[in-house]
Amino acid sequence: MKQAHLAGRTKGLRPSQQRQLERLSHRRHPEREGADQLTLERLAEKVIELCQPLHLVLDSRGLCRLLWVGPLDGSGQLLAHLPESPRRKSAGWRLISCSLTLQRNNLRPEQHDAIVALDLAPNSWLRFAPTSDRGGRRIAALWQPDPKEISGWSLIEANGLSELCQHSQGSTVKPEVTPLPSKDSRERVLLLTLTGPEQSRSERDLAELEGLVRSAGGHPVAVVRQKQGAPNPQTLWGKGKLQETALEVRRHSASLVITDRELNPVQVRNLERYLDCPVMDRSELILDIFAQRASSAAGRLQVELAQLRYRMPRLMGRGRSLSRQGGGIGTRGPGETQLEKDRRAITRRIEHLLREVRQLQNHRARLRNRREGLPRVALVGYTNAGKSSLLNALCSRNEHNKVLAENKLFATLDPTTRRLLIPQTGGKPLELLITDTVGFIRELPAPLVEAFRATLEETLEADLLLVVVDLSDTDWQAQLDTVHQLLNSLGSESIRQVIANQIDRCDSSALETIRSIDPKVIYLSAASGAGLQGLKHWLKDQFWGHRAESAPLHSVNT
């Protein structure tokens, strides 16, 4: 049975050279540690002859499983030639490399080779020069994976090749990545960002992106930043920064990279090729959160529509595979590509979902017509500003009647309407309807806004908008501006009243700032109940005050 496999840049090799390399790969090395010095010296001669680096992958028994010709270009190609048997991989691999670029003053692995070698996850990596010094010694260096090092590798020993071939690693403790607890199945995520000239703004945007990752069930493990300059249209980030990112992915055992910029399909493919890791942009992350939060049939319908519209231009298909179209005259031949079939299937599904969304819009319009006699108020604001908590504090006296209110981004997707009863002396309570709507966020994906238009109509058709802002958030001013901009882009003409929430947790400077922006702001705390009675009195005056007594309720907007 053939144990070793010769791969890499083998096309230009003569048959005699291939046979010589195969004989070298069949030579056995000491078990578990060290290497056969004579084999490595002959390997060095072949490196000089071929002017190509050579790499040996040894298993725990000292058998060579792979002899790779050329640089370590891609971990996928390298790992594809290795056996997947757990028995053979249990003790780990040993990697041995001989390269012309290795010099006495440059023993550190090249960045790209270091990344691919980390994917192999060897116990040790022996690197040596093919040429000898004046004393006849070949310089060599023994490395081991170390996530604490920037390069991902720590130097065990630098010495002559003969000494390192006899090196014992029994006393060497291999550092390990600190994993998440075994019961924690969250995905490890690396964040790739572009920072602008304003450092504080960039840090707040990064904190929001981390919040989105946690809301999606991920665990941010590292951040790679690059100053925003002239963008690279192929990847947005520079090649050097992407190599650093690829190394950080291996150091922190990240399984996903998320960017803070929206990417086109070409950029996603280029980034995944550079990083050898799945890549997701911010818009796709928000769509994923919406897909997790959608509980009702209407919510799932709108999320699926948004996802299909987002993924349609990013569809890759299955290469150049073809399928026959039929068996009649004019239908024989190569047929159409599988990609075109997938696109047509998605297009049909989108058309079906659009019909259902139109039915949903008509259904919500009928519901609003039934409530025509009651004033309608919509709670709007940035995500996680406290809208659901405010709705519970105002309208839900029973636990089973409360809506979900969690400290997560986009905890609420489906609009929920509750009746608010305001008691009055000498008569029955006054009644109005309050609707909790989906939260806003900066740069909300366009497919999501279009798909949720049926839900957002609850906001557009309301008589009054209560714009809830969380004063305890340091970025509340930018969040308030984002909400107003999104409402303007949706064409909202309803009256807006700013509600300053979390007044018991904010700084006094925030109270003064918002008072200077809007002197008519209403202050309250949905958690503690402070200011709720003042809001109810304000709503009563707004809809049933002296100015509105002689006018129809729906004319409050005019």
Side-chain angles (χ1 to χ4, degrees), residues 155-357:
L155 180 64
I156 300 176
E157 183 180 348
N159 210 329
L161 180 62
S162 58
E163 288 81 6
L164 292 187
C165 284
Q166 307 299 324
H167 180 84
S168 174
Q169 302 176 44
S171 59
T172 303
V173 179
K174 180 181 177 181
E176 298 180 354
V177 178
T178 304
L180 291 172
S182 58
K183 295 183 180 180
D184 198 334
S185 59
R186 292 180 297 172
E187 192 164 18
R188 298 174 68 87
V189 179
L190 183 141
L191 306 180
L192 182 59
T193 67
L194 287 174
T195 59
E198 187 179 349
Q199 184 66 24
S200 59
R201 175 74 264 169
S202 299
E203 291 300 325
R204 288 193 292 267
D205 292 345
L206 175 60
E208 181 179 274
L209 184 61
E210 291 179 351
L212 288 171
V213 171
R214 293 189 175 92
S215 295
H219 176 63
V221 295
V223 179
V224 177
R225 300 175 175 86
Q226 178 176 313
K227 290 185 178 180
Q228 191 171 6
N232 181 358
Q234 298 298 319
T235 58
L236 292 184
W237 284 265
K239 185 176 180 180
K241 184 59 65 174
L242 292 180
Q243 288 184 345
E244 177 186 339
T245 304
L247 192 56
E248 291 296 309
V249 168
R250 277 73 182 174
R251 286 181 59 205
H252 297 278
S253 299
S255 57
L256 178 66
V257 173
I258 296 181
T259 68
D260 65 341
R261 295 293 190 275
E262 185 169 353
L263 306 173
N264 59 44
V266 175
Q267 291 168 346
V268 172
R269 290 196 295 269
N270 291 337
L271 287 175
E272 289 183 344
R273 187 177 69 252
Y274 274 111
L275 304 179
D276 200 11
C277 177
V279 175
M280 176 186 294
D281 62 11
R282 182 175 176 273
S283 297
E284 190 173 359
L285 175 62
I286 294 175
L287 288 173
D288 184 81
I289 296 174
F290 271 60
Q292 294 181 37
R293 300 284 190 271
S295 56
S296 67
R300 291 192 294 269
L301 166 69
Q302 294 171 105
V303 168
E304 182 183 359
L305 178 59
Q307 287 180 321
L308 289 178
R309 281 181 164 173
Y310 180 83
R311 293 173 180 172
M312 181 70 171
R314 293 163 173 80
L315 193 63
M316 287 290 292
R318 292 192 289 272
R320 297 178 178 271
S321 61
L322 302 174
S323 60
R324 295 190 179 276
Q325 293 176 320
I329 297 175
T331 62
R332 298 180 179 87
E336 59 184 341
T337 63
Q338 185 64 42
L339 177 60
E340 292 301 324
K341 292 182 65 178
D342 294 342
R343 283 177 175 167
R344 191 169 63 251
I346 291 180
T347 301
R348 286 198 298 265
R349 180 60 179 168
I350 289 177
E351 291 174 353
H352 173 72
L353 293 176
L354 285 174
R355 288 194 296 269
E356 293 193 6
V357 167

